[in-house]
Amino acid sequence: MAYLAPAEFVTKMIDAGESKLLMSTRDTLIRSYMAGAILALAAAFAVTVTVNTGNPLIGAILFPVGFCMLYLLGFDLLTGVFTLAPLAVLDKRPGATWRAVWRNWSLVFTGNFAGAITVALFMAIIFTNGFSEPPNGVGEKIGHIGEGRTVGYAAHGAAGMLTLFVRAVMCNWMVSTGVVAAMMSTTVSGKVIAMWMPIMVFFYMGFEHSIVNMYLFPSGLMLGGDFTFMDYMIWNEIPTVIGNLVGGLTFVGATLYSTHYKTGAKRKVG
Amino acid sequence: MRESLRVSVGQHSLAGEHGTNQDFHGAVLPTGAQLAAKGVVLAIADGIGSSEVSHLASQTAVGAFLEDYYATSEAWTVRRAAQRVLGATNAWLHGQTMRSDGRFDKDRGYVCTFSALVLKGRQIHLLHVGDSRIYRLHAHSLEQLTKDHRIHHAADESYLARALGIGPHVEIDYLSWEAEVGEVYLLATDGACAQLDAVSVHQAIAEYEDDLDAAAARLVEHARAVGSDDATLQLLRIDTLPEGDGLESRRRREGLVLPQLLAPRMEFEGFAIVRELQVSARSHVWLATDLESGRPVVLKTPSIDLRDDDAYLDSFVLEEWVARRVDNPHVIKAWPGSRRREALYVAMEYIEGQTLAQWMVDHPSPPLDLVRPIIEQLALGLQALHSRDMLHRDLRPENVMIDHAGTVKLIDLASVCVGGLTEGLEMTDAGAPPGTLQYMAPECLLGETASPSADLFALATISYQMLSGQLPYGLESARVRTPRDLRRLRYVPLRHLRPELPAWVDGVIGKALHVMPGKRQEAVSEFIHDLRAPSASFQRVQRRLPLVERDPVLFWKVLSVLLALTVVALVFHISVAP
């Protein structure tokens, strides 16, 4: 049977969250670095497809390959650990504390960021022939994506910030649904199909994903985008991270935990 | 069809010139379950020539070994079972010696040599004491596998250094390795060894390929023709060996189907399902009623997630196997029925009560007197496993039940490692070791196999957690990946969290939680004893601790006072200075 009952996959979610807290620093960094890099590469790929075909839908349809790859390889994204790690604390797993969750989030953030920046640098080299000529069409496009989604929000002030935040919430609602959906199935094909749908939705809708943005914006800065690093941090990355956290935790983690997972005071295990 | 163990055995014995045959030999080739659990045994013994009763000694040694070895627990390793049996035989023979003329002159006592070969699964085990020999036949030579326990102190004078029946205790040599198909082993007493060479053995086996008894007879006659002593020889040829994954549990699992998903009020294999107790990604646990006896029973079925995992499914068979063999009030019992089963599930007794995890929630900061009886009962359960060569390997608060009468029971025996079942099998656990990381001894994370000491670590972790509500190393012990990580682990002293507890408690629990298994208490029983009656050393160690460790609050108070005085002195100094 390829589909798990909800009670089973919710315990799997908690187990997965617990294992994130128990992961050594080295493993956490390596896994998050690789996840950031692969997702960044997928973002570069999707933008290339969009520019070359002129149709953003095709880019969005193909973007989930990166997510599927990194999930199947067992790498961790910040958006995923936002949803999973706190479940171990909610379920009172031994030793699980908010401090351990915070540690995990910080390490995964660092790893994701380093991975995404690495790919941003590599892709910038490719788009500009080793910085020897102006960026090509795709490079040009990436350079300008960043502008609308930083100074563009800033132009609307508080309303812009609200929009940014809500887009970030919606994003991780979708992405974490993908992470959880992958746990429902026991087969690789089942996992891939389950992940594909929500990831495609978020990418086409232009929701704000903190790790995708860790690639797009530094890349944009390298390719001559007209915004500053502080614009990126304040008018994109930081609100996106917070929005992703809220979206993953409230709409996915906490909801599934509270409806599907029963904590009986008198649990008898044979 | 799975290959099973098949061997050919040949044996023969001839008395020497003096008439009585002081050699004795025997072999047991069981079938079915006993073959898988205990294997094939060949044993040979040679009584000393100077004694008139030594033929009785050799008969007893071989006879008792062949009989008693098969009566030992299936859970024991061959080494443990054989050494226990030989220890008992030796004690009996020694007793006979001391009751006869032998007490004045050991040369006339109940003394004999003893060598045995056990082939279980794919593993050969040798047990040896004295100067009989075990050989392995090669193309051009005979390899002597045992060492003669004979001391030569003059050119033609020598005596047996070790044998059964000489002293109250005997040291038995033990060797073990993986057997190969086609190998031939020989067991021979010294009378048969003299003229033995590879060529004649090859010839004899080639001539009597289907009748190794005749081959053995020919070799013995040959030996007797030149020598004068009793001559006895046993031949063992390995024809087929079981496949590598000879796990008993896998064999038992064959033919059982995976059960359907259970639901309340459903009938399943003669049980009526009552309600769900816990459904997780690891297993589904249901309360049911046995329709025959009307008694409650707990059924555990595989989760959907892990249905393709062979090792996991094996643990289902093993869990009941273990529970049926360990009869202890502190270990869960298997359901006593013996209906034929169609599906793979575990049926266990129903324990009404709460888990230790829940108990900890209900009793934050409990007094030592409340914690101690629970730990002690838990230790009794663990000891019951350890004495049967079993390791629990997944001791955690969720796996401990406390019933309404306050009896503590170990449940969830799915991770138990049984020495007698796994010996000789290559453990190919490429993934994480079984168990829960928070309670796992850190050496297990570095690839060391579990030991009773690892169970002790888990028990001490639980003790620490019951008293303080926290884990002794936080989550750091679960993150150990290299020996350097191990050295970096810092134990958070219990006295920092529960300063009112006696200081020695910290010493006792801290010792059991040492990162190096060799520095922990040697056994669970020692830990429990220390927890009741700590030796003086724990209290001495306490006094030697620096003040900052022993009483941090006092230390900082004193330091603050000193600093305050310094400040006052400085202020005074400055104000009086010109």
Side-chain angles (χ1 to χ4, degrees), chain A residues 1 3-5 7-8 11-12 15 18 21-24 27 94-95 100 103 186 262 265-270, chain B residues 277-278 280-282 284-285 298 303-305 348 350-351 353 355 358 411 437-439 471 475 478-479 481:
Chain A
M1 200 180 300
Y3 171 76
L4 298 190
E8 266 196 41
T11 52
K12 269 187 94 172
D15 290 347
E18 187 184 15
L21 302 188
L22 299 177
M23 210 184 286
S24 68
D27 288 346
R103 167 191 173 278
T186 54
K262 290 173 216 148
K266 289 203 167 188
R267 221 164 27 164
K268 283 138 208 142
V269 186
Chain B
L277 294 176
Q278 191 193 40
S280 77
R282 287 180 291 271
H284 296 188
V285 183
V298 171
S303 69
I304 303 166
D305 192 30
M348 294 287 205
Y350 175 58
I351 304 165
T355 65
Q358 187 59 48
I411 59 168
L437 287 171
Q438 287 95 322
Y439 299 92
L471 297 172
L475 294 178
R479 294 184 187 133
R481 294 290 174 278

CSV table of all heavy atoms in Angstrom, one decimal, chain A residues 1 3-5 7-8 11-12 15 18 21-24 27 94-95 100 103 186 262 265-270, chain B residues 277-278 280-282 284-285 298 303-305 348 350-351 353 355 358 411 437-439 471 475 478-479 481:
chain,number,residue,atom,x,y,z
A,1,MET,N,0.9,-1.2,0.0
A,1,MET,CA,0.0,0.0,0.0
A,1,MET,C,0.9,1.2,0.0
A,1,MET,O,1.8,1.3,0.7
A,1,MET,CB,-0.9,0.0,1.3
A,1,MET,CG,-2.1,0.9,1.1
A,1,MET,SD,-3.1,0.8,2.6
A,1,MET,CE,-3.5,-0.9,2.7
A,3,TYR,N,-0.1,4.5,0.3
A,3,TYR,CA,-0.6,5.6,1.0
A,3,TYR,C,-0.7,5.4,2.5
A,3,TYR,O,-1.3,4.4,3.0
A,3,TYR,CB,-2.0,6.0,0.5
A,3,TYR,CG,-2.7,7.1,1.3
A,3,TYR,CD1,-2.3,8.4,1.1
A,3,TYR,CD2,-3.7,6.8,2.2
A,3,TYR,CE1,-2.8,9.4,1.9
A,3,TYR,CE2,-4.3,7.8,2.9
A,3,TYR,CZ,-3.9,9.1,2.7
A,3,TYR,OH,-4.4,10.1,3.5
A,4,LEU,N,-0.1,6.2,3.3
A,4,LEU,CA,-0.1,6.0,4.8
A,4,LEU,C,-1.3,6.7,5.4
A,4,LEU,O,-1.7,7.8,4.9
A,4,LEU,CB,1.2,6.7,5.4
A,4,LEU,CG,2.5,6.1,5.0
A,4,LEU,CD1,3.6,6.7,5.9
A,4,LEU,CD2,2.5,4.6,5.1
A,5,ALA,N,-1.8,6.1,6.4
A,5,ALA,CA,-2.9,6.7,7.2
A,5,ALA,C,-2.4,8.0,7.8
A,5,ALA,O,-1.2,8.0,8.2
A,5,ALA,CB,-3.4,5.7,8.2
A,7,ALA,N,-2.5,9.2,10.8
A,7,ALA,CA,-1.9,9.0,12.1
A,7,ALA,C,-0.5,8.5,11.9
A,7,ALA,O,0.4,8.8,12.7
A,7,ALA,CB,-2.7,8.0,12.9
A,8,GLU,N,-0.2,7.7,10.9
A,8,GLU,CA,1.1,7.3,10.6
A,8,GLU,C,2.0,8.4,10.1
A,8,GLU,O,3.2,8.5,10.6
A,8,GLU,CB,1.1,6.1,9.6
A,8,GLU,CG,1.1,4.8,10.3
A,8,GLU,CD,1.5,3.6,9.4
A,8,GLU,OE1,2.4,3.8,8.6
A,8,GLU,OE2,0.8,2.6,9.4
A,11,THR,N,3.1,10.9,12.8
A,11,THR,CA,4.2,10.4,13.7
A,11,THR,C,5.5,10.5,13.0
A,11,THR,O,6.5,10.8,13.5
A,11,THR,CB,4.0,9.0,14.3
A,11,THR,OG1,3.7,8.1,13.2
A,11,THR,CG2,2.9,9.0,15.3
A,12,LYS,N,5.4,10.2,11.7
A,12,LYS,CA,6.7,10.3,10.9
A,12,LYS,C,7.2,11.8,10.8
A,12,LYS,O,8.4,12.0,10.9
A,12,LYS,CB,6.4,9.9,9.4
A,12,LYS,CG,6.6,8.4,9.2
A,12,LYS,CD,6.5,8.1,7.8
A,12,LYS,CE,7.9,8.1,7.1
A,12,LYS,NZ,7.8,7.6,5.7
A,15,ASP,N,8.8,12.4,14.2
A,15,ASP,CA,10.1,11.7,14.2
A,15,ASP,C,11.1,12.4,13.4
A,15,ASP,O,12.3,12.6,13.8
A,15,ASP,CB,9.9,10.3,13.6
A,15,ASP,CG,9.2,9.4,14.6
A,15,ASP,OD1,8.9,9.8,15.7
A,15,ASP,OD2,8.8,8.3,14.1
A,18,GLU,N,12.2,15.5,15.2
A,18,GLU,CA,13.1,15.1,16.3
A,18,GLU,C,14.5,14.8,15.8
A,18,GLU,O,15.5,15.2,16.3
A,18,GLU,CB,12.5,13.9,17.0
A,18,GLU,CG,13.3,13.5,18.3
A,18,GLU,CD,12.8,12.2,18.9
A,18,GLU,OE1,12.0,11.5,18.2
A,18,GLU,OE2,13.1,11.9,20.1
A,21,LEU,N,16.6,17.8,15.3
A,21,LEU,CA,17.2,18.3,16.5
A,21,LEU,C,18.4,17.5,16.9
A,21,LEU,O,19.3,18.0,17.6
A,21,LEU,CB,16.2,18.4,17.6
A,21,LEU,CG,14.9,19.1,17.4
A,21,LEU,CD1,14.1,19.2,18.6
A,21,LEU,CD2,15.2,20.5,16.8
A,22,LEU,N,18.4,16.2,16.6
A,22,LEU,CA,19.5,15.3,17.1
A,22,LEU,C,20.7,15.3,16.1
A,22,LEU,O,21.6,14.6,16.3
A,22,LEU,CB,18.9,13.9,17.2
A,22,LEU,CG,17.8,13.7,18.3
A,22,LEU,CD1,17.3,12.3,18.3
A,22,LEU,CD2,18.3,14.1,19.6
A,23,MET,N,20.5,16.0,15.0
A,23,MET,CA,21.6,15.9,14.0
A,23,MET,C,22.8,16.7,14.4
A,23,MET,O,22.7,17.8,15.0
A,23,MET,CB,21.0,16.5,12.7
A,23,MET,CG,21.6,15.9,11.4
A,23,MET,SD,20.9,16.7,10.0
A,23,MET,CE,19.3,16.1,9.9
A,24,SER,N,24.0,16.1,14.1
A,24,SER,CA,25.2,16.8,14.5
A,24,SER,C,25.3,18.1,13.7
A,24,SER,O,24.8,18.2,12.6
A,24,SER,CB,26.4,15.9,14.3
A,24,SER,OG,26.6,15.7,12.9
A,27,ASP,N,26.6,17.5,10.1
A,27,ASP,CA,25.6,16.9,9.2
A,27,ASP,C,24.6,18.0,8.8
A,27,ASP,O,24.2,18.1,7.6
A,27,ASP,CB,24.9,15.7,9.8
A,27,ASP,CG,25.8,14.5,9.9
A,27,ASP,OD1,26.9,14.5,9.2
A,27,ASP,OD2,25.5,13.6,10.6
A,94,PRO,N,12.0,13.6,24.4
A,94,PRO,CA,13.0,13.9,25.4
A,94,PRO,C,14.1,14.8,24.8
A,94,PRO,O,14.7,14.6,23.8
A,94,PRO,CB,13.6,12.5,25.7
A,94,PRO,CG,12.9,11.5,24.7
A,94,PRO,CD,11.7,12.2,24.1
A,95,GLY,N,14.4,15.8,25.6
A,95,GLY,CA,15.5,16.7,25.3
A,95,GLY,C,15.2,17.8,24.3
A,95,GLY,O,16.0,18.7,24.0
A,100,ALA,N,17.1,24.1,21.1
A,100,ALA,CA,17.6,23.1,20.1
A,100,ALA,C,17.0,23.4,18.8
A,100,ALA,O,17.6,23.3,17.7
A,100,ALA,CB,17.2,21.7,20.6
A,103,ARG,N,18.7,26.4,17.4
A,103,ARG,CA,20.0,26.0,16.9
A,103,ARG,C,19.9,25.4,15.5
A,103,ARG,O,20.7,25.8,14.6
A,103,ARG,CB,20.6,25.0,17.9
A,103,ARG,CG,21.8,24.3,17.4
A,103,ARG,CD,22.2,23.1,18.3
A,103,ARG,NE,23.2,22.3,17.8
A,103,ARG,CZ,23.0,21.3,16.9
A,103,ARG,NH1,21.8,21.1,16.4
A,103,ARG,NH2,24.0,20.6,16.4
A,186,THR,N,5.0,5.7,0.3
A,186,THR,CA,6.1,4.9,0.6
A,186,THR,C,7.0,4.6,-0.6
A,186,THR,O,8.0,4.0,-0.6
A,186,THR,CB,5.7,3.6,1.2
A,186,THR,OG1,4.8,2.9,0.3
A,186,THR,CG2,5.1,3.8,2.6
A,262,LYS,N,-3.1,12.0,18.2
A,262,LYS,CA,-3.8,12.0,19.5
A,262,LYS,C,-2.8,11.7,20.6
A,262,LYS,O,-2.0,10.8,20.5
A,262,LYS,CB,-4.8,10.8,19.5
A,262,LYS,CG,-6.0,11.1,18.6
A,262,LYS,CD,-6.9,9.9,18.5
A,262,LYS,CE,-7.5,9.7,17.1
A,262,LYS,NZ,-7.6,8.4,16.7
A,265,ALA,N,-3.3,10.5,27.6
A,265,ALA,CA,-2.5,10.5,28.8
A,265,ALA,C,-2.3,9.0,29.2
A,265,ALA,O,-1.3,8.7,29.7
A,265,ALA,CB,-3.3,11.2,29.9
A,266,LYS,N,-3.2,8.1,28.8
A,266,LYS,CA,-3.0,6.7,29.2
A,266,LYS,C,-2.8,6.0,27.9
A,266,LYS,O,-3.7,5.4,27.3
A,266,LYS,CB,-4.2,6.2,29.9
A,266,LYS,CG,-4.4,6.8,31.3
A,266,LYS,CD,-5.2,5.9,32.1
A,266,LYS,CE,-5.1,6.2,33.6
A,266,LYS,NZ,-5.7,5.3,34.4
A,267,ARG,N,-1.5,6.0,27.5
A,267,ARG,CA,-1.2,5.3,26.3
A,267,ARG,C,-0.6,3.9,26.6
A,267,ARG,O,0.4,3.9,27.4
A,267,ARG,CB,-0.2,6.1,25.5
A,267,ARG,CG,-0.5,6.1,24.0
A,267,ARG,CD,0.3,7.2,23.3
A,267,ARG,NE,1.5,7.5,24.0
A,267,ARG,CZ,2.5,8.2,23.5
A,267,ARG,NH1,2.4,8.6,22.2
A,267,ARG,NH2,3.6,8.6,24.1
A,268,LYS,N,-1.2,2.9,26.2
A,268,LYS,CA,-0.6,1.6,26.6
A,268,LYS,C,0.0,1.0,25.3
A,268,LYS,O,-0.6,0.9,24.3
A,268,LYS,CB,-1.7,0.6,27.1
A,268,LYS,CG,-2.0,0.9,28.5
A,268,LYS,CD,-3.5,0.8,28.7
A,268,LYS,CE,-3.9,1.8,29.8
A,268,LYS,NZ,-5.2,2.4,29.6
A,269,VAL,N,1.2,0.6,25.4
A,269,VAL,CA,1.9,0.1,24.3
A,269,VAL,C,2.3,-1.3,24.6
A,269,VAL,O,2.8,-1.7,25.6
A,269,VAL,CB,3.2,0.9,24.0
A,269,VAL,CG1,3.9,0.5,22.8
A,269,VAL,CG2,2.9,2.4,24.0
A,270,GLY,N,1.9,-2.2,23.6
A,270,GLY,CA,2.3,-3.6,23.8
A,270,GLY,C,3.6,-3.9,23.2
A,270,GLY,O,4.0,-5.0,23.0
B,277,LEU,N,-4.9,1.5,20.7
B,277,LEU,CA,-4.0,2.1,21.8
B,277,LEU,C,-3.0,3.1,21.3
B,277,LEU,O,-2.8,4.1,21.9
B,277,LEU,CB,-3.3,0.9,22.5
B,277,LEU,CG,-4.2,-0.1,23.3
B,277,LEU,CD1,-3.3,-1.2,23.8
B,277,LEU,CD2,-5.0,0.6,24.4
B,278,GLN,N,-2.4,2.7,20.2
B,278,GLN,CA,-1.5,3.7,19.6
B,278,GLN,C,-1.2,3.3,18.1
B,278,GLN,O,-1.0,2.1,17.8
B,278,GLN,CB,-0.1,3.7,20.3
B,278,GLN,CG,0.7,4.8,19.9
B,278,GLN,CD,2.2,4.6,20.4
B,278,GLN,OE1,2.7,3.6,20.4
B,278,GLN,NE2,2.8,5.7,20.8
B,280,SER,N,1.2,4.4,15.1
B,280,SER,CA,2.3,5.3,14.7
B,280,SER,C,3.0,4.8,13.4
B,280,SER,O,2.6,3.7,12.9
B,280,SER,CB,3.3,5.4,15.8
B,280,SER,OG,4.1,4.3,15.8
B,281,ALA,N,4.0,5.5,13.0
B,281,ALA,CA,4.6,5.0,11.8
B,281,ALA,C,5.5,3.8,12.0
B,281,ALA,O,6.0,3.2,11.1
B,281,ALA,CB,5.5,6.2,11.2
B,282,ARG,N,5.6,3.4,13.3
B,282,ARG,CA,6.4,2.3,13.6
B,282,ARG,C,5.6,1.0,13.8
B,282,ARG,O,6.0,-0.1,13.3
B,282,ARG,CB,7.2,2.5,14.9
B,282,ARG,CG,8.4,3.5,14.7
B,282,ARG,CD,9.2,3.7,16.0
B,282,ARG,NE,8.4,4.4,16.9
B,282,ARG,CZ,8.4,5.8,17.0
B,282,ARG,NH1,9.1,6.5,16.2
B,282,ARG,NH2,7.6,6.4,17.9
B,284,HIS,N,1.2,-0.5,14.8
B,284,HIS,CA,-0.2,-0.2,15.2
B,284,HIS,C,-0.5,-1.1,16.4
B,284,HIS,O,-0.3,-2.3,16.3
B,284,HIS,CB,-1.2,-0.6,14.1
B,284,HIS,CG,-1.0,0.3,12.9
B,284,HIS,ND1,-1.9,0.3,11.8
B,284,HIS,CD2,-0.1,1.2,12.6
B,284,HIS,CE1,-1.5,1.2,10.9
B,284,HIS,NE2,-0.4,1.7,11.3
B,285,VAL,N,-0.9,-0.5,17.5
B,285,VAL,CA,-1.1,-1.3,18.7
B,285,VAL,C,-2.6,-1.2,19.1
B,285,VAL,O,-3.1,-0.1,19.2
B,285,VAL,CB,-0.2,-0.8,19.8
B,285,VAL,CG1,-0.4,-1.6,21.1
B,285,VAL,CG2,1.2,-0.8,19.4
B,298,VAL,N,-3.0,-7.5,24.0
B,298,VAL,CA,-2.6,-6.4,23.1
B,298,VAL,C,-2.0,-7.0,21.8
B,298,VAL,O,-1.2,-7.8,21.9
B,298,VAL,CB,-1.5,-5.5,23.9
B,298,VAL,CG1,-0.9,-4.5,22.9
B,298,VAL,CG2,-2.1,-4.8,25.1
B,303,SER,N,3.3,-1.4,10.8
B,303,SER,CA,2.8,-0.2,10.2
B,303,SER,C,2.9,-0.3,8.7
B,303,SER,O,3.7,-1.1,8.1
B,303,SER,CB,3.6,1.0,10.7
B,303,SER,OG,4.9,1.0,10.1
B,304,ILE,N,2.1,0.5,8.0
B,304,ILE,CA,2.2,0.5,6.5
B,304,ILE,C,3.5,1.0,6.0
B,304,ILE,O,4.1,0.4,5.1
B,304,ILE,CB,1.1,1.4,6.0
B,304,ILE,CG1,-0.3,1.0,6.5
B,304,ILE,CG2,1.0,1.4,4.4
B,304,ILE,CD1,-1.4,2.0,6.3
B,305,ASP,N,4.1,1.9,6.7
B,305,ASP,CA,5.3,2.5,6.3
B,305,ASP,C,6.5,1.5,6.2
B,305,ASP,O,7.3,1.6,5.3
B,305,ASP,CB,5.7,3.7,7.3
B,305,ASP,CG,6.8,4.5,6.8
B,305,ASP,OD1,6.9,4.7,5.6
B,305,ASP,OD2,7.5,5.1,7.6
B,348,MET,N,0.5,-9.8,23.1
B,348,MET,CA,1.2,-9.7,24.4
B,348,MET,C,0.1,-9.5,25.4
B,348,MET,O,-1.0,-9.1,25.2
B,348,MET,CB,2.1,-8.5,24.4
B,348,MET,CG,3.3,-8.6,23.4
B,348,MET,SD,4.5,-9.7,24.1
B,348,MET,CE,5.9,-9.2,23.3
B,350,TYR,N,-1.9,-7.6,28.4
B,350,TYR,CA,-2.3,-6.3,28.5
B,350,TYR,C,-2.0,-5.8,29.9
B,350,TYR,O,-2.3,-6.4,30.9
B,350,TYR,CB,-3.8,-6.2,28.3
B,350,TYR,CG,-4.4,-4.8,28.5
B,350,TYR,CD1,-4.0,-3.7,27.8
B,350,TYR,CD2,-5.5,-4.6,29.4
B,350,TYR,CE1,-4.5,-2.5,27.9
B,350,TYR,CE2,-6.0,-3.4,29.6
B,350,TYR,CZ,-5.5,-2.3,28.9
B,350,TYR,OH,-6.1,-1.0,29.0
B,351,ILE,N,-1.2,-4.7,29.9
B,351,ILE,CA,-0.8,-4.1,31.2
B,351,ILE,C,-1.6,-2.8,31.4
B,351,ILE,O,-1.4,-1.9,30.6
B,351,ILE,CB,0.7,-3.8,31.2
B,351,ILE,CG1,1.5,-5.1,30.9
B,351,ILE,CG2,1.1,-3.3,32.6
B,351,ILE,CD1,3.0,-4.8,30.6
B,353,GLY,N,-2.1,0.5,33.2
B,353,GLY,CA,-1.3,1.4,33.9
B,353,GLY,C,-0.9,2.6,33.1
B,353,GLY,O,-1.5,3.0,32.1
B,355,THR,N,2.7,4.7,31.2
B,355,THR,CA,4.1,4.6,30.8
B,355,THR,C,4.9,5.4,31.8
B,355,THR,O,4.4,6.3,32.4
B,355,THR,CB,4.3,5.1,29.4
B,355,THR,OG1,4.1,6.5,29.4
B,355,THR,CG2,3.5,4.4,28.4
B,358,GLN,N,4.7,9.1,31.1
B,358,GLN,CA,3.6,9.8,31.7
B,358,GLN,C,3.9,10.0,33.2
B,358,GLN,O,3.6,11.0,33.7
B,358,GLN,CB,2.3,8.9,31.5
B,358,GLN,CG,1.1,9.6,31.9
B,358,GLN,CD,0.9,10.9,31.1
B,358,GLN,OE1,1.0,11.0,29.9
B,358,GLN,NE2,0.6,12.0,31.9
B,411,ILE,N,8.4,-3.2,28.3
B,411,ILE,CA,7.6,-3.6,27.2
B,411,ILE,C,8.5,-3.3,25.9
B,411,ILE,O,9.6,-2.8,26.0
B,411,ILE,CB,6.3,-2.9,27.1
B,411,ILE,CG1,6.5,-1.4,27.0
B,411,ILE,CG2,5.4,-3.2,28.3
B,411,ILE,CD1,5.2,-0.6,26.7
B,437,LEU,N,18.0,7.6,20.0
B,437,LEU,CA,19.2,8.3,20.2
B,437,LEU,C,19.5,8.9,21.5
B,437,LEU,O,20.6,8.9,22.0
B,437,LEU,CB,19.3,9.3,19.1
B,437,LEU,CG,19.6,8.8,17.6
B,437,LEU,CD1,19.4,9.9,16.6
B,437,LEU,CD2,20.9,8.2,17.5
B,438,GLN,N,18.4,9.5,22.1
B,438,GLN,CA,18.6,10.2,23.4
B,438,GLN,C,19.1,9.3,24.5
B,438,GLN,O,19.7,9.8,25.4
B,438,GLN,CB,17.3,10.9,23.8
B,438,GLN,CG,16.9,12.1,23.0
B,438,GLN,CD,16.0,11.8,21.8
B,438,GLN,OE1,16.1,10.7,21.2
B,438,GLN,NE2,15.1,12.7,21.6
B,439,TYR,N,18.8,8.0,24.4
B,439,TYR,CA,19.1,7.1,25.5
B,439,TYR,C,20.2,6.1,25.1
B,439,TYR,O,20.5,5.2,25.8
B,439,TYR,CB,17.8,6.3,25.9
B,439,TYR,CG,16.7,7.2,26.4
B,439,TYR,CD1,15.8,7.7,25.5
B,439,TYR,CD2,16.7,7.7,27.7
B,439,TYR,CE1,14.8,8.6,25.9
B,439,TYR,CE2,15.8,8.5,28.1
B,439,TYR,CZ,14.8,9.0,27.3
B,439,TYR,OH,13.9,9.9,27.7
B,471,LEU,N,18.1,15.6,30.2
B,471,LEU,CA,19.0,14.5,29.8
B,471,LEU,C,20.4,14.9,30.2
B,471,LEU,O,20.8,16.1,30.2
B,471,LEU,CB,19.0,14.3,28.3
B,471,LEU,CG,17.6,13.9,27.7
B,471,LEU,CD1,17.6,13.9,26.2
B,471,LEU,CD2,17.3,12.5,28.2
B,475,LEU,N,21.2,17.1,24.2
B,475,LEU,CA,21.1,16.3,23.0
B,475,LEU,C,22.4,16.0,22.4
B,475,LEU,O,22.5,15.4,21.3
B,475,LEU,CB,20.2,17.1,21.9
B,475,LEU,CG,18.8,17.3,22.3
B,475,LEU,CD1,18.0,18.1,21.3
B,475,LEU,CD2,18.1,15.9,22.5
B,478,ALA,N,23.5,12.5,21.5
B,478,ALA,CA,22.9,11.9,20.3
B,478,ALA,C,23.6,12.4,19.0
B,478,ALA,O,23.4,11.8,17.9
B,478,ALA,CB,21.4,12.3,20.2
B,479,ARG,N,24.4,13.4,19.2
B,479,ARG,CA,25.0,14.0,18.0
B,479,ARG,C,26.5,13.5,17.8
B,479,ARG,O,27.2,14.0,16.9
B,479,ARG,CB,25.0,15.5,18.1
B,479,ARG,CG,23.6,16.1,18.0
B,479,ARG,CD,23.7,17.6,18.1
B,479,ARG,NE,22.3,18.2,18.2
B,479,ARG,CZ,22.0,19.1,19.1
B,479,ARG,NH1,23.0,19.6,19.9
B,479,ARG,NH2,20.8,19.6,19.1
B,481,ARG,N,29.5,11.8,16.5
B,481,ARG,CA,29.8,11.1,15.2
B,481,ARG,C,31.3,10.7,15.2
B,481,ARG,O,31.6,9.8,14.4
B,481,ARG,CB,29.6,12.1,14.0
B,481,ARG,CG,28.1,12.5,13.8
B,481,ARG,CD,27.3,11.3,13.3
B,481,ARG,NE,25.9,11.6,13.2
B,481,ARG,CZ,25.1,11.6,14.2
B,481,ARG,NH1,25.5,11.2,15.4
B,481,ARG,NH2,23.8,11.9,14.1
